[in-house]
Amino acid sequence: MDKDERCPCNTGEIYGSCCGRYHLGYSDPQAPAWPATAVELMRSRYSAFALMLPDYLLATWHPSTRPAELDLDEAIVWKNLEIVRTEAGGPFDQTGVVEFVARYGLLGQREYQHEVSDFVREGGCWYYLDAVE
């Protein structure tokens, strides 16, 4: 994705200054970039699904629940992310909850994923922990 295009996470911001900075900077030891809140992490993870970035998804998944590998379905076309609500998850919190609805297309059908996701902050970094659909 071009850094000057709109970000897939629906903030209305440009990708390079929104989720792109995390996708490109999470593993940069010189200038690491990591989401400051649980909702920023949720948005960046949605964008990573939309852009097929499994390494970012695995890096932001808490080690206690992270799978060994991640196969993304190339037939899914992510269309829209709606944040329904958040609980805590700010820069000074240790845990957070983000409820969202992600809409996508699959084989010509409109589908959606409604999820309540738990996040935890360790070592100053937010991680996806698990979810209830």
Side-chain angles (χ1 to χ4, degrees), residues 100-121:
F100 69 92
V101 176
R103 292 173 182 82
Y104 61 93
L106 178 60
L107 305 174
Q109 299 293 312
R110 292 182 184 179
E111 305 285 344
Y112 71 92
Q113 178 177 343
H114 180 205
E115 189 173 290
V116 179
S117 296
D118 292 315
F119 294 85
V120 63
R121 189 162 71 91

Side-chain angles (χ1 to χ4, degrees), residues 1-21:
M1 166 169 257
D2 187 303
K3 66 181 179 117
D4 295 324
E5 292 181 54
R6 294 274 180 218
C7 192
C9 78
N10 289 351
T11 58
E13 294 188 36
I14 301 301
Y15 174 70
S17 61
C18 194
C19 296
R21 62 187 162 149

Side-chain angles (χ1 to χ4, degrees), residues 17-60:
S17 61
C18 194
C19 296
R21 62 187 162 149
Y22 305 128
H23 295 163
L24 297 174
Y26 76 96
S27 63
D28 183 350
Q30 301 300 320
W34 204 272
T37 66
V39 75
E40 283 181 5
L41 180 59
M42 179 60 242
R43 287 184 175 283
S44 71
R45 286 178 56 82
Y46 170 85
S47 293
F49 275 104
L51 299 172
M52 304 292 288
L53 302 173
D55 290 345
Y56 180 80
L57 292 164
L58 290 169
T60 58

Side-chain angles (χ1 to χ4, degrees), residues 36-98:
T37 66
V39 75
E40 283 181 5
L41 180 59
M42 179 60 242
R43 287 184 175 283
S44 71
R45 286 178 56 82
Y46 170 85
S47 293
F49 275 104
L51 299 172
M52 304 292 288
L53 302 173
D55 290 345
Y56 180 80
L57 292 164
L58 290 169
T60 58
W61 206 316
H62 193 270
S64 68
T65 57
R66 177 176 48 219
E69 60 184 50
L70 190 60
D71 274 336
L72 300 180
D73 188 343
E74 293 181 16
I76 293 176
V77 179
W78 295 97
K79 303 283 190 180
N80 175 280
L81 175 67
E82 174 189 352
I83 302 297
V84 176
R85 71 179 173 87
T86 62
E87 292 176 19
F92 302 107
D93 295 316
Q94 296 305 306
T95 61
V97 174
V98 179

